[in-house]
Amino acid sequence: MPAYLAPWRASPCVFRSSKSELMPNLASDGVVCAPLQTFTEEETMLKNMVTKFAQERVAPLVQKMDENSKMEDSVIQGLFEQGLMSIELGEEYGGTGASFFSVILVVEELAKVDPAVALLCELQNTLINKLFTTYGTEEQKRTYLPRVAKDTIGSFCLSEAGSGSDAFSLKTRAEKKGDYYIINGSKMWISLAEHAGVFFVMANTDPSLGYRGITCFIVDRNTEGLHVGKKEDKLGIRASSTCPVTFENVKVPETNILGQVGQGYKYAIGVLNTGRIGIAAQMLGLAQGCFDHTIPYTKERVQFGKSVFDFQGMQHQIAQVATQLEAARLLTYNAARLAETGRPFIKEASMAKYYTAEVATLTTSKCIEWMGGVGFTKNYPIEKYYRDCKIGTIYEGTSNIQLSTIAKSLAQEY
């Protein structure tokens, strides 16, 4: 009898996430398996520092930055001064030398106050710095890492008008001319392009090879022929710029190739997998920040002789959202710890990004309802969280892309 026709028979397959791993010499070493929300002393100190920075340096400017669609220079400068743009970089490059999990905690804390500022920090740490440290030559590291640690924002140029989720169908070309390459093409939806001083540009050096011709180039902003277009007028995360970038006969030396020719698609996949955990942290922080603004109001607002919070119907809704927030946090922290320890994490990263984006959407919507009329006004930050969260289902892999990635992993496990 086929196994699937015997419903009470134990399945020989086991969902990988449900498998536990033996910790060697657990008893003899006296090792205790800590809860996911247990942090090192360094992580706790950094988290507390960022909370203070966000409240004192970012919070007073959030509404202004959102209305003007512009990140204040003082905020960008503050991020660099506090070492938040180079969290994992070694001290020899001017970095903080902290853990990947620290990056996730920082992004979460910043997003509680302003998800746009959190995005700047997240992209710099999980994409830009990661590309340099993982694939850069020693000369490239010496040239660029001290800059991105001190005052230079990086930007990642992958998406084009005709290649969104189908990212590797990109049309930007890089033609070899001696010891240089000439890049021609255009990119869309490029985050941080307005302020970026260096760009990672994905271009195809041999279209006959398809995506296997995609190569990553390091291009400085002042390179002739590189043009940053007018930034998009967006629904949310308005303080973070999103611009088209065009390349007209941009001459790039061969020494500015990141890694190997034709391996750009692998590098993009690699950093985006890690970056998804960062976006999960952003969505988590956003949802928690919105929740934290809302619940005190429900306890103070009195209707029919008692606080709005004291109505059982409200309590059940609030408890449900709080539970989903906790589940989102555990998914995100678990994916981060897996990545940090070098264990497989691709499925878990996609689960975290997908679920936190869903929870952020639900949380912000419910918070507006719980706040009533004032939640619908710009006098309170709730409506901004609602606008900001929508991007979580779109960038660094849409929700459907995450679900496809999860399903692919499940097919391999079973």
Side-chain angles (χ1 to χ4, degrees), residues 85-155:
M85 299 291 272
S86 54
I87 297 169
E88 284 187 276
L89 291 186
E91 294 180 3
E92 68 271 25
Y93 298 116
T96 306
S99 64
F100 174 69
F101 193 81
S102 295
V103 174
I104 300 308
L105 291 177
V106 168
V107 172
E108 180 186 358
E109 289 304 309
L110 289 173
K112 290 177 182 178
V113 175
D114 191 352
V117 174
L119 179 66
L120 169 57
C121 176
E122 190 274 333
L123 291 176
Q124 185 88 347
N125 282 283
T126 68
L127 294 188
I128 304 305
N129 297 349
K130 189 75 74 175
L131 281 167
F132 276 126
T133 57
T134 306
Y135 306 109
T137 64
E138 286 305 314
E139 182 180 354
Q140 289 168 349
K141 292 177 183 177
R142 286 195 302 270
T143 301
Y144 289 100
L145 288 181
R147 288 173 53 189
V148 296
K150 182 181 180 182
D151 57 15
T152 302
I153 294 171
S155 192

Side-chain angles (χ1 to χ4, degrees), residues 15-28:
F15 187 45
R16 181 168 63 81
S17 292
S18 68
K19 294 180 181 177
S20 58
E21 288 194 9
L22 178 66
M23 294 183 68
N25 302 318
L26 183 61
S28 60

Side-chain angles (χ1 to χ4, degrees), residues 16-17 19-21 23 334-346 348:
R16 181 168 63 81
S17 292
K19 294 180 181 177
S20 58
E21 288 194 9
M23 294 183 68
N334 182 56
R337 290 298 192 196
L338 288 172
E340 187 174 73
T341 54
R343 291 171 59 187
F345 68 90
I346 292 174
E348 288 77 10

